[in-house]
Amino acid sequence: MAITLACIAAAYVFVMAWWQSRGTSHYRPADLYLTRLMDVAIAAWLFWIGSSIGSFLNVVAWRMPRNQSVNGRSYCPRCSTRLKARDNFPVFGWLALRGRCRTCRLPISPRYPIVEAAVGISITLVGIAEIYRLSLPYQDQHWHGGPLWIPIVDQAMLLTLLYHVIAIAMSWAIGLIRMDGHPLPRRLSGTAAVMLIGGMLIVPSVMTVPWQMQVSARWRGDGLYFDALMRVITALVAATFLGRCLARGLCIGADPKLDPLGKSTIRLVDLITMIAVPALVLGWQSLPAVLVVGACIALALGRVLPSSTDMLGRFAIAMPITLCLSILLWRPLHAAAFWPSDGSSPWVLLAAAALLLITPTWLRERQTLEGQSLPFDEPNDHDSAAADSTVSKN
């Protein structure tokens, strides 16, 4: 695997340098090897950070619903052996062990490297898009050909990227726990609220887009603390309202007034929580369209996830995927006439909202599996004992 990745990286450096230098006499391919090697280093570093976060989220998804501490060294629950550092390496540690515990040789669930890889890839793509100024609206752009294809890093960009990485990680954590059929722990919801709401109120520049419908083309969020507060309020109101709209399919029977502690009501609260994350990051204007895309991805995930995974679990795991795609395509979507955003026609927003209202007709819950753990593989007597034979590092 390492040799394959090294060959891919080398091919990128040499082929891209040749492609960017063709047709010009100002520089040779050798002049661009170092800048293209910088691309590889940035991508590798982002994947390492992202997959490490995914490794920690495996711990969160397993321990937090069971009221266990997420601190402490990782160990094999079967033989209680602490994992060695090389075995805890995200993705590649599992591959090196060939999916088995080094000590007791029981199988290790493939869920762990899958989650690590998925989180790592999502954070890597978002990081590259933002560091190279490819994705965010209201951001200065630069030409991405030849030697000028280099990252532009400043404080505002780093803070925005950090905010988005936190949001993506929180969305993945919510999705993994809800996919397993567990109600969201209050600790996780509270942590997400403090970091996402507090982060936006403290650093308004992470808003990226305004909460209003019409602003100047040179709008910037720096120092707009009142606007940040309004952005938070409108995002939470939109998440609550649209969550109630989707409840007709995902949380049938939810009644916060007559049955505030019922299972359906808890599912509704979890649904609003998972919707609030993209609402805070992307803004209330595009939220209806984002949820429609998420509903379509949830349907497609039915071919990948076990049939025992309920529809709310599929929708929950679709949310971080949709959030990443929305950030990656944010600039072209923001400029598109068909996508609801600030500056869009009211009819575009109404059309997206109307489309969302009919999604419960196909995004309808078939079964409720509260409190049941649903691993990626169908469990059997052997796998159910060994599926958690290791947990990723914290």
Side-chain angles (χ1 to χ4, degrees), residues 7 23 50 61 87 93 95 97 221 223 229 237 248 279 286 288 302 316-317 345 356:
C7 292
D87 297 337
L95 294 175
L97 291 172
L229 176 61
V237 170
R248 294 185 296 112
S286 60
I317 212 69
S345 167
L356 179 67

Side-chain angles (χ1 to χ4, degrees), residues 51-368:
S51 59
S52 298
I53 293 174
S55 181
F56 175 69
L57 295 183
N58 276 322
V59 177
V60 171
W62 171 254
R63 297 186 186 179
M64 193 171 283
R66 295 166 176 80
N67 294 320
Q68 299 177 6
S69 173
V70 297
N71 299 321
R73 291 284 300 276
S74 301
Y75 60 90
C76 173
R78 293 287 295 172
C79 62
S80 299
T81 302
R82 289 188 176 183
L83 301 183
K84 297 182 179 181
R86 65 177 182 270
D87 297 337
N88 226 2
F89 200 92
V91 182
F92 301 101
W94 187 90
L95 294 175
L97 291 172
R98 297 183 178 179
R100 290 184 177 272
C101 174
R102 182 182 296 276
T103 304
C104 64
R105 305 307 299 168
L106 286 175
I108 302 172
S109 172
R111 167 173 177 150
Y112 298 111
I114 291 174
V115 170
E116 291 165 355
V119 178
I121 291 172
S122 60
I123 290 179
T124 299
L125 293 176
V126 169
I128 290 175
E130 296 192 11
I131 290 175
Y132 287 85
R133 307 282 176 129
L134 296 171
S135 62
L136 300 183
Y138 295 106
Q139 187 181 65
D140 294 333
Q141 305 177 35
H142 69 291
W143 185 54
H144 291 88
L148 296 183
W149 188 349
I150 57 176
I152 298 180
V153 181
D154 54 28
Q155 182 180 3
M157 187 282 300
L158 288 177
L159 290 174
T160 302
L161 177 58
L162 176 61
Y163 185 81
H164 290 164
V165 168
I166 292 173
I168 291 170
M170 290 297 175
S171 187
W172 274 113
I174 291 171
L176 291 170
I177 292 175
R178 194 64 252 189
M179 185 190 71
D180 287 342
H182 297 295
L184 296 182
R186 293 184 179 180
R187 285 187 297 165
L188 178 62
S189 301
T191 301
V194 169
M195 299 186 75
L196 297 181
I197 296 176
M200 183 170 291
L201 295 178
I202 295 173
V203 187
S205 61
V206 301
M207 288 189 290
T208 305
V209 294
W211 67 273
Q212 304 97 323
M213 285 300 297
Q214 297 291 336
V215 294
S216 168
R218 300 182 62 84
W219 177 88
R220 294 292 185 276
D222 299 336
L224 301 180
Y225 294 99
F226 176 77
D227 287 49
L229 176 61
M230 293 302 299
R231 169 67 179 276
V232 169
I233 293 174
T234 54
L236 295 180
V237 170
T240 303
F241 176 75
L242 297 181
R244 290 289 292 170
C245 294
L246 292 177
R248 294 185 296 112
L250 296 174
C251 311
I252 300 175
D255 194 335
K257 293 183 179 180
L258 299 180
D259 190 18
L261 300 179
K263 291 184 178 180
S264 294
T265 303
I266 293 175
R267 290 166 63 87
L268 173 60
V269 173
D270 291 351
L271 175 62
I272 293 173
T273 302
M274 68 181 70
I275 293 175
V277 176
L280 288 167
V281 174
L282 304 170
W284 67 270
Q285 300 96 327
S286 60
L287 187 59
V290 170
L291 296 182
V292 170
V293 174
C296 296
I297 293 177
L299 287 179
L301 287 176
R303 300 178 176 271
V304 179
L305 300 178
S307 58
S308 55
T309 304
D310 63 7
M311 186 59 74
L312 182 61
R314 298 177 188 178
F315 185 78
I317 212 69
M319 279 292 94
I321 300 174
T322 309
L323 176 60
C324 293
L325 291 176
S326 299
I327 295 176
L328 288 173
L329 302 174
W330 203 341
R331 182 180 294 167
L333 289 176
H334 185 266
F338 64 86
W339 189 260
S341 61
D342 58 287
S344 296
S345 167
W347 293 107
V348 175
L349 271 71
L350 291 174
L355 186 59
L356 179 67
L357 290 177
I358 66 174
T359 55
T361 60
W362 75 77
L363 198 68
R364 183 169 294 277
E365 192 62 79
R366 295 182 179 179
Q367 55 183 336
T368 301

